Every structure is written in structure tokens, then in C-alpha cells.
Amino acid sequence: MWQKSPNHRALSEDEEKKALENAPSLRFRFILAGVLVIGIIAGLAINLIFDYSQKLADLSYDRLLRSALLQMDENVGLMRNEVSIDIPWSAFATLAQAEEDRVFYKVESLEQGFITGYQDLDSQPPQPPVLDQIQFYNQEYSGEMVRFAWVQRHITDPETAQTVRIILGQTRLSREQMASAVTQKAVEVVVFIALVAITLIIIGSHLVLRPLHRIERALEERAMGDLTPIDINTPKETHHLKVAINHFMERLQSNLEQLENYTADAAHQLRTPLASLRALAENARDNTSPERQHQALENIVKQCDALSQTVTLLLNQAVVSHRLQTHRLEPIDLLAPITASCREQAVAALHQGVLLSLDCDLKETLILGDAFSIQQMMQNLIENAVRYSREDVERGTEIIVQVSEFERFYRIKVIDYGVGIPDIEKERVFERFYRGRYDIAGSGVGLAMVKDIVDHHSARIQILDTEPKGTTFQVDFAKLRFNEDTV
Amino acid sequence: MKQFFFWLAVVVSLNATKLWATEPVWFGNENAQRILRINSAMDLASFEPILKKFVELHPDVRVAYRDVNTLELYYLTIKDQKKPEASLVISSAMDLHLKLVNDGYAQTYQSSFTDRLPSNFKWRNQLFAFSLEPIVMLVNKKAFPGVLPEDRQSLLQTIRQNEKAMTKRIGTYDIRQSGVGYLLASQDARQADVTWGRLLEAFGSHDVQTYCCTHDIIDDVASGKLVLGYNLLGSYASQRAQEDDRLKMILPKDYTLMLMRAALIPKGAPNEEDAGIFLDFLLSDQAQKMMQTQGLLFPIQPDMNNPNDPYVVNAPGPTGIIELDQQLLVGRDYAKQKRFIRNWEMALEISEED
């Protein structure tokens, strides 16, 4: 049987919408990730640009400042042993290229003191003074941040030597304007590129996901019951999805076929006993002798029991198959289901004059399995053994269930001394609805179910001959090993 | 800067007392709510019609106009920096005004009128020029010996040829007292150092007369006491030359200096809104046109349709526009200024105590 949605029903349009809203969107994730990455890159780029444009502006305008400072420096001289400076007009014409920036300066001599300029200007440079080396630095003056150039040099003539210091500064307006102009342009470009990239991602995501929509549409538009493979052309990336869908449909188809067969067979299996039931009932109706009538009714009851057994078996099989598909295997004690089924079957066997014994001296037998399924398996094996037991041979009514331990597995043997199974049939007994002998009641599904359960547990089943006569079913279950399998 | 201030303050204080006492002239409705105080280094004769027009357009504003000497104005603005009295300060000493802005005494103002102003007529949106006038020589035609000079060279020649007639009969600014006088002298020295040296020497050897103010020089030229006034503001000279047949205004052919009159709003000034409105009015087409048609001042962009208009500058030679930028600070450098004035005093053979 298949795994199914617990309460299958068509979703209403509203629910569908709601589900769609709540579902995570592949496209949204894709775009979000793209936008995030582009955003981070753009952010970094803009940060770099800010830094760079400041440096660039300072570099350009520091050249002006240096040039003006050197022009001033060139016009410093000694007159009658006193430092004097005649600031050239051109020095300030140079500075006037920064059109709107205020200019501050101070010329002083360490020996003579203040010479000209703004006396309250701080003439201490941030770096230790080095002769003839121009220093640039920002410092606040007159309520504004000012970029200063600073130089100090010796001036000597035969009679005197003095150290002259020139500080020349201009406000940062032009620098800021240039930096922001550069930044603005660059940021515009970066933002433009980022927007283009995001647009491409959005368009790309649409294109990439389009084949999925095509597959979706192809599936939606199908007629009910159409399980033929999808044959639309899709790109490589969705090829596997298409193949998977086609495989799935193939499996679905084979499952459906199996179900159809099963249903047909089950109907067939039920029809025979029903027909005989009807015959028996007619017999009972037509018979006038009360004795015979009673006999016929007795047969009907027997037939009903047999039918009920078949139905129970079919139901059990459905349950087992469901469990096998839905329940995970878990560590269980193998002996538990075995003893349970032996206990359950012992009485029924005795009714038929069969002696069932369990031969086991193991204490703990841990395997990975499903207890209910194993119990069903044991029940089927024991029922099968009971069914084929006979009274006319030695030990013919004896059934032994044996559990023994090997290094890697536990072995269960169900031994009977009945008629035995010819070698030709041994391979076919596990086929569904195969029945070795039609004179003995049975559904033909019991052993098939055993095989299903064994396969599901990755166990191994073998049919051996019992000496001198009879059949032994031998099932090996792997031991549960903690160190490897469960950890 | 303190020394600079101190030193100039000494010079100024000699002649300052009477200027500080000047009472303002009032315009407009006495009951007007708002009062706009203007400190200005400009003769009222050139400015009165503009002020009248302004109060006519803005009846709720009363204008107090105080005429102050250019150098005076500079110190007054610095002195009042904590609590300025004037809302607007107007001066022809561009260099001092620019220094005020550079040193942070002015506030920023921006309007559609200032935006329209070409960038070389304003600085930092704190200093705005509203007039551009030539610097001229004014001669008394009758009293002048020989041919009227057309440039500085010919003036020098005339002085040499007519030593007697020229002695004590040339007038110019006392650059120690007049801010604009200093500016013009320093620009002369910058434009043509050699010519300036010779001129100064000739002025010195012929006892040039020095004045604080333009109209005093013009009065003396008109009366014949002087034959020539050197480096006079074109607007005043042209106004008087039009009224007085004896006077002739000469734009020197070798180069004609062009001077701007500029206005600023002091930082923390009272009633800055009306100062802005007045500034906008000065820059408006209406006021600019008034300057030209009524012969008050030389507008920044004159109406060129009337080529014979004396208020359209028609210089015979190159014009040297004194640029409104940081270069002006060089002229006002403490050391340079000290040296320049000392040289001037030595050349003119006058001492500080004069």
C-alpha cells in the first residue's frame, strides 16, 4: 500500500492562495541574495570612494598650498639683521584658485617672534619639526576646519642666523566640494551599475524559473489519469526534475497496475469461496432431511470461517504494508513478537491436533525491526506449517520454532514434518496468490506477505527440507550493532 | 594681528574722534516698525535717491544711514563684533571688506539676486559687489598748465615741465587715513611698480596734498586750489564734472583701475532680513538702472545701448579690475602694509606725527 496524505481533499482557492503566500519563494530568495551581495559590494565601493575622493581633493589642493607656501618662503629675507617678508601677490593668486576658501597665515621667527599674519594662530605642528620639510595637517581655526601647510627653515647671513616658521592655511570648502563632486559621480555610477545588476537578476530569475513554470503547466493541463512521460523541451538544469517526475509517474503507474492486479486477484479469491458458499446455502435450502441440512449448515459455517480468515489475511497484509511504508524500523527484542505469536497460535494448533513448541534459550535478541510485522510473519509461517501438517507420519503433528544466535545474525527456524514442498515449487510459494495445493485451504497471500516483511527488514529467507520429511522455513535477521548502525 | 590693529588704531585715532560722532541720517516713515541701520563709506549724494526709493517700496522699514570713512568702518565693524549695530556695511575698500569676511565677521546671505550675480562679484556669499567704477584723475581745465594729461607718463612730464605751477597743487588720498586710498596706492604699485615709484617721487618733491576724503579733493580741484586730483573714485568725479564746466575727468590711458563697492551683513547683525532685502534691492535691475540713469554710481552691468553715457566705462586703455578674492589680503599684510606706508611717508617727506 502507499503512503497517503492523511485527509486527502482538494484545497479551496483561498487555501491555495494562503499556502502560496506562506511558501518560501525561490525567486525571492534568489533576488534577495543577489541584492544583498550587490548591496554589500556597492557599499564597500562607496566607502572606498569616500575615502579616495577625500585623499584626491587633499592631494590636489595641497599642491596649491605648497606652491603658495614656497612662494612666500622665497620672499623671506634678512634686512638689517631682521627677518622680513614681502608676500608675493602671486602666492595668494594661487590660493584664490580655491575660490571661496578663507586664508590664514603666520610668519614668525623663533628669535624675533611674530613677524606678520594672524598672531593667534597656533604655530606648533602636530609632527616633530624638521627643517625644510613641509607638513600638512587639519586644525580648527576661526570656527572652521582649516588645512595648514607648515615649514621651518634657517636663514643666515654673516652677522645673524634665525629660524623662520611659515604657517599657511586655507579652509576646506573647495576640497569638500571637489571630494563630493567626485564622490557623487562615482556613487552615481556605482548605484547605476548596482541597479542594472539587480534588474538583470530579476529578469534572469524570471528566465531561469520559466522552465519550471512550463513543467508545472504541462502537469496542470494533463487529463486525469494521464501518466505518460512529459515530453516538453526543457533546459539541462531542469532535465533531472523532468526525469524524476517521469520516474515518479512510472512508479505510480506500476503501483496502480499492481493495485489493479491485486484487486482483481482478491476479487477472484473471494469469488470462489462465495460461490461455494452459495452452493452450500442452496444445498441447505433444497435439502429436506434435517440431518443433511444441518450438515450443509455446518459446512457453510466452516466456509464462512475460511472466508473470514482470508479477509483477515488481506486486511493484515494491508496493515503490514502500510506499517512497512510508514513506520521506521526501531530496535526491538526479536523474541517478543516470536513468543507472542507462538502463544497465540499454540491453542489454534492444538485444535487441529498439532503440537507447537518454541525452542530457544536466548535472553536478549536485539534487532532493528517492526514488532507487529514480525509477529505477522511468524503467524503466517506457523499457520502455513499447521496447515500442511499430517497425522499419518511420525512426528507429523509436531511444529518446532527455533531461535538461535550466530555471530552476526539471529536465525529463526519454523520446522514441520508435514508433506514438504517439492523443489520446483519452492521458488513459487512466495508469489502472490500462488497455492501449492488447492485441496488445502489457504489464501495464497500469506507467504507473499512473509516475503515482503523479510525484504523490508533486509533479512534472508530460505526454504529447506526437514529430515526425513517436511519443510523448514529459515529466516536470518541481522543483529543490532550499536557501535556502527545506531550511532 | 593685534599689533597690526594697535598700530593702525594709533594712526586712526588721530583723526577718528569726529567721525565716530557722526549722527545717522534717517529715511522713511518715523513710525515704521522695522529699522535698518546701514554703515557706509559712501557719499550720501550718490546714495540718497536709492535709499529714498527703497523706503518708498518698503514703507514699513526705516533706514538709518551713517557715513563712515573706509578705514574707520573696518575698525568699527570689528569693535562691534559682539553686538553689531549695523545690519549692513557698505564700503569701497574692497580689501578691508574682504579681510572682514576672511576673518569671519560676516554672515552668509543667499537669494535669487545674489545667485544671479556673476561669481567674480561676490565672495563666499558673504561679500557682494553692486557697483564697478573706474579710478580717475580729475583736472581743473583752466588752472592746469599745458596739455591735459592722458596717462601717468604725461602727468609726470607735466609735473617736471611745470614744477612751480604743480607744487602743492596735486591732491591725493592720505593712505594712512583712507582705506580706499591705501587700496588704490597698493594696486598702483602692483600694476606698475616703476611708474608708481616715479609718481611717488614726483609727488614728494612737489609737496602733494593729502586728504582723507574724495569730496575734499574734488572741492579743492574745483576751486582751483589744486590743479589735479589723483586716484579719485569715478562716481564722485563724474558727478561733479557733469555739473561743473571747470572740471574734467580723465581715465588714464596706460591702465584704468576698476574698483567695486561691496556690502556685507555682519555676523550677528540685527534685522538681517531687511539687510538682505536692501541688498537684493541694490542688486535689482531697478536700482542698477537708477545708478546709471540718475548718474549716481557705475552699475555692475550697465545698459550698453547708450554709448555716450558717462556711466558706461569707456576706458581708452586697458582696465585693471581689482579682483574680489584672496589676493586682496596680500595688500593688507601687516608687514607689507607697514613697509608700504613707511615708503610712502619717506617719499612724500612726511612723518607719522603729521
Side-chain angles (χ1 to χ4, degrees):
Chain A
M1 286 287 149
W2 312 305
Q3 211 159 356
K4 293 168 289 192
S5 65
N7 45 351
H8 177 76
R9 66 197 170 90
L11 291 169
S12 73
E13 215 165 282
D14 280 349
E15 282 169 319
E16 191 100 43
K17 260 187 201 160
K18 218 172 176 181
L20 196 64
E21 267 172 32
N22 292 337
S25 158
L26 199 62
R27 196 171 162 204
F28 177 73
R29 279 186 202 166
F30 183 62
I31 292 172
L32 189 73
V35 168
L36 269 178
V37 169
I38 289 168
I40 289 168
I41 292 173
L44 284 176
I46 286 171
N47 206 23
L48 274 178
I49 289 164
F50 266 106
D51 232 40
Y52 176 71
S53 61
Q54 284 285 349
K55 278 184 191 150
L56 190 72
D58 266 345
L59 197 74
S60 323
Y61 281 99
D62 279 352
R63 286 189 183 142
L64 294 184
L65 203 56
R66 176 199 295 270
S67 150
L69 185 73
L70 291 176
Q71 289 177 58
M72 281 173 75
D73 182 54
E74 206 178 282
N75 285 277
V76 175
L78 283 169
M79 273 172 79
R80 277 167 266 136
N81 295 338
E82 287 216 339
V83 177
S84 75
I85 177 164
D86 185 15
I87 299 174
W89 297 88
S90 61
F92 278 47
T94 309
L95 292 178
Q97 287 179 60
E99 281 169 20
E100 309 249 280
D101 277 311
R102 298 159 66 188
V103 176
F104 306 105
Y105 64 97
K106 182 181 182 181
V107 182
E108 65 178 9
S109 135
L110 297 188
E111 292 77 10
Q112 198 179 315
F114 174 76
I115 293 165
T116 189
Y118 290 72
Q119 200 166 19
D120 55 348
L121 205 62
D122 180 14
S123 59
Q124 279 305 320
Q127 312 272 330
V130 179
L131 279 181
D132 291 323
Q133 195 168 311
I134 298 177
Q135 287 186 27
F136 291 98
Y137 55 94
N138 295 322
Q139 200 174 322
E140 211 176 293
Y141 181 75
S142 183
E144 246 183 286
M145 195 48 93
V146 180
R147 181 78 168 172
F148 283 105
W150 178 100
V151 76
Q152 176 171 308
R153 75 172 170 103
H154 281 314
I155 176 163
T156 51
D157 71 3
E159 284 162 47
T160 181
Q162 298 215 22
T163 310
V164 178
R165 206 175 248 193
I166 307 174
I167 303 105
L168 178 62
Q170 67 181 157
T171 50
R172 301 189 51 90
L173 201 70
S174 295
R175 293 163 195 259
E176 303 303 339
Q177 273 171 359
M178 179 181 171
S180 69
V182 169
T183 310
Q184 198 193 338
K185 263 273 168 296
V187 166
E188 271 170 21
V189 170
V190 168
V191 168
F192 176 73
I193 290 173
L195 286 180
V196 167
I198 288 170
T199 313
L200 285 180
I201 284 179
I202 291 171
I203 294 171
S205 72
H206 185 73
L207 289 178
V208 162
L209 295 178
R210 210 163 53 171
L212 287 183
H213 292 305
R214 269 168 52 207
I215 294 177
E216 175 192 306
R217 255 202 314 280
L219 288 176
E220 279 290 350
E221 283 165 5
R222 287 199 154 209
M224 234 180 174
D226 180 0
L227 289 178
T228 54
I230 306 172
D231 61 351
I232 51 173
N233 283 328
T234 54
K236 271 184 196 150
E237 286 73 13
T238 51
H239 179 74
H240 289 294
L241 177 69
K242 195 173 74 177
V243 168
I245 290 175
N246 285 343
H247 276 178
F248 179 75
M249 289 206 292
E250 246 168 62
R251 280 209 307 274
L252 194 63
Q253 195 171 357
S254 75
N255 278 349
L256 275 176
E257 277 163 9
Q258 221 174 344
L259 181 68
E260 276 165 14
N261 290 341
Y262 181 79
T263 316
D265 281 344
H268 179 71
Q269 289 307 314
L270 290 174
R271 205 163 55 187
T272 317
L274 272 176
S276 86
L277 202 58
R278 184 188 160 86
L280 285 171
E282 274 176 355
N283 210 1
R285 187 190 63 191
D286 297 344
N287 253 318
T288 46
S289 149
E291 254 174 54
R292 283 192 166 188
Q293 217 166 27
H294 184 263
Q295 183 64 44
L297 286 173
E298 195 73 36
N299 286 341
I300 288 175
V301 170
K302 268 188 193 166
Q303 193 65 33
C304 278
D305 283 346
L307 192 59
S308 143
Q309 221 172 21
T310 309
V311 170
T312 307
L313 207 67
L314 285 170
L315 270 177
N316 278 348
Q317 193 183 14
V319 170
V320 165
S321 192
H322 176 69
R323 281 186 73 91
L324 293 184
Q325 272 167 356
T326 56
H327 288 232
R328 291 173 64 89
L329 298 182
E330 50 196 13
I332 53 155
D333 185 357
L334 179 61
L335 279 180
I338 294 174
T339 22
S341 69
C342 285
R343 202 172 292 137
E344 214 171 86
Q345 296 294 307
V347 185
L350 263 183
H351 274 298
Q352 302 193 25
V354 176
L355 193 67
L356 176 66
S357 61
L358 174 61
D359 174 13
C360 171
D361 48 8
L362 299 172
K363 288 272 179 272
E364 202 186 40
T365 50
L366 276 184
I367 63 151
L368 208 57
D370 180 51
F372 180 83
S373 305
I374 291 173
Q375 194 175 338
Q376 286 300 314
M377 177 192 82
M378 287 311 293
Q379 187 178 335
N380 277 309
L381 286 175
I382 294 167
E383 269 175 5
N384 195 59
V386 171
R387 203 170 293 137
Y388 287 89
S389 65
R390 1 175 263 186
E391 294 172 10
D392 53 341
V393 292
E394 199 192 344
R395 300 176 77 184
T397 54
E398 203 180 324
I399 294 171
I400 305 166
V401 176
Q402 213 176 55
V403 184
S404 51
E405 185 179 12
F406 288 80
E407 194 191 342
R408 290 177 165 273
F409 56 87
Y410 297 108
R411 174 164 290 168
I412 307 166
K413 279 184 177 174
V414 180
I415 306 162
D416 72 63
Y417 298 93
V419 287
I421 302 170
D423 284 346
I424 326 164
E425 288 185 15
K426 275 180 188 154
E427 288 172 12
R428 296 195 59 196
V429 291
F430 295 122
E431 284 176 22
R432 206 170 289 279
F433 300 118
Y434 176 80
R435 289 170 70 182
R437 286 169 51 175
Y438 282 88
D439 56 335
I440 296 175
S443 63
V445 292
L447 287 179
M449 188 166 98
V450 167
K451 178 74 171 148
D452 282 347
I453 295 167
V454 164
D455 287 348
H456 190 77
H457 283 80
S458 307
R460 186 173 58 200
I461 188 161
Q462 269 181 305
I463 306 174
L464 308 169
D465 290 332
T466 314
E467 286 302 323
K469 195 150 175 63
T471 312
T472 300
F473 282 88
Q474 177 186 302
V475 190
D476 298 337
F477 280 98
K479 276 184 184 174
L480 174 65
R481 275 170 299 166
F482 287 98
N483 53 344
E484 289 171 29
D485 294 1
T486 57
V487 179
Chain B
M1 208 175 82
K2 272 184 190 153
Q3 276 187 22
F4 171 42
F5 179 86
F6 172 76
W7 179 81
L8 274 168
V10 169
V11 174
V12 163
S13 60
L14 301 172
N15 290 291
T17 18
K18 85 165 197 263
L19 291 159
W20 247 302
T22 313
E23 277 302 308
V25 182
W26 292 88
F27 292 88
N29 186 353
E30 278 181 31
N31 302 321
Q33 293 281 312
R34 282 138 60 191
I35 292 176
L36 174 65
R37 288 178 186 276
I38 300 174
N39 282 354
S40 166
M42 197 183 325
D43 286 358
L44 200 50
S46 299
F47 217 42
E48 200 170 351
I50 292 171
L51 290 168
K52 279 185 173 158
K53 188 76 193 170
F54 178 76
V55 292
E56 188 190 317
L57 289 171
H58 300 90
D60 48 349
V61 183
R62 198 167 172 225
V63 178
Y65 184 84
R66 198 156 113 183
D67 189 353
V68 189
N69 164 296
T70 45
L71 193 57
E72 195 72 29
L73 198 58
Y74 174 72
Y75 289 111
L76 189 62
T77 310
I78 293 176
K79 198 186 108 206
D80 282 355
Q81 59 169 299
K82 289 265 159 58
K83 201 173 173 295
E85 198 190 27
S87 308
L88 194 70
V89 183
I90 299 173
S91 177
S92 53
M94 296 159 66
D95 52 351
L96 291 175
H97 248 41
L98 189 113
K99 192 161 165 58
L100 283 175
V101 172
N102 189 67
D103 296 357
Y105 296 109
Q107 61 171 290
T108 304
Y109 176 72
Q110 200 169 2
S111 72
S112 58
F113 291 95
T114 64
D115 285 344
R116 215 179 49 170
L117 199 60
S119 63
N120 49 334
F121 285 99
K122 59 185 172 187
W123 197 57
R124 289 179 63 85
N125 276 327
Q126 293 180 343
L127 186 60
F128 308 94
F130 57 88
S131 152
L132 178 68
E133 60 190 276
I135 300 306
V136 301
M137 300 191 283
L138 191 70
V139 291
N140 187 316
K141 285 187 276 190
K142 282 188 186 146
F144 198 81
V147 191
L148 296 184
E150 57 178 10
D151 57 17
R152 290 170 182 82
Q153 292 298 332
S154 53
L155 173 63
L156 273 172
Q157 217 169 349
T158 313
I159 293 173
R160 283 189 200 119
Q161 284 166 0
N162 307 281
E163 300 220 344
K164 248 209 179 112
M166 296 302 276
T167 303
K168 290 200 175 186
R169 295 191 76 186
I170 298 171
T172 190
Y173 289 106
D174 185 338
I175 65 169
R176 300 168 304 178
Q177 286 180 32
S178 166
V180 68
Y182 177 89
L183 170 65
L184 298 175
S186 73
Q187 290 294 324
D188 264 345
R190 188 187 174 193
Q191 288 277 347
D193 201 18
V194 179
T195 312
W196 169 250
R198 283 185 194 152
L199 212 52
L200 205 57
E201 193 194 324
F203 283 173
S205 54
H206 294 85
D207 287 341
V208 76
Q209 301 298 298
T210 58
Y211 294 80
C212 82
C213 315
T214 316
H215 51 87
D216 291 344
I217 307 177
I218 298 176
D219 284 346
D220 282 357
V221 175
S223 72
K225 192 182 166 201
L226 299 177
V227 294
L228 179 132
Y230 179 75
N231 264 3
L232 306 186
L233 293 170
S235 52
Y236 303 152
S238 111
Q239 218 170 20
R240 291 290 289 273
Q242 274 179 308
E243 296 164 1
D244 197 331
D245 287 345
R246 296 169 294 176
L247 300 176
K248 182 168 169 55
M249 184 174 94
I250 297 168
L251 275 62
K253 201 179 170 186
D254 48 352
Y255 65 89
T256 308
L257 286 176
M258 298 291 286
L259 179 88
M260 296 174 200
R261 289 177 188 266
L264 62 83
I265 304 173
K267 200 173 264 177
N271 199 5
E272 51 188 287
E273 294 83 14
D274 284 331
I277 293 172
F278 187 80
L279 193 56
D280 287 348
F281 175 67
L282 272 185
L283 298 173
S284 70
D285 290 340
Q286 189 183 8
Q288 293 278 313
K289 211 172 178 122
M290 267 177 81
M291 292 177 193
Q292 185 174 354
T293 52
Q294 300 187 24
L296 307 172
L297 290 166
F298 287 80
I300 281 178
Q301 279 157 326
D303 183 2
M304 304 300 262
N305 291 332
N306 186 1
N308 292 324
D309 191 327
Y311 284 84
V312 175
V313 178
N314 239 329
T319 57
I321 296 180
I322 303 173
E323 282 171 277
L324 192 66
D325 66 18
Q326 294 94 322
Q327 294 181 62
L328 290 173
L329 296 173
V330 177
R332 285 294 178 182
D333 173 60
Y334 167 67
K336 200 180 190 97
Q337 180 171 317
K338 199 167 144 188
R339 192 165 45 244
F340 191 78
I341 290 178
R342 194 192 296 134
N343 289 343
W344 181 84
E345 284 171 340
M346 276 161 58
L348 265 50
E349 293 166 2
I350 42 180
S351 66
E352 256 179 65
E353 285 72 41
D354 268 4

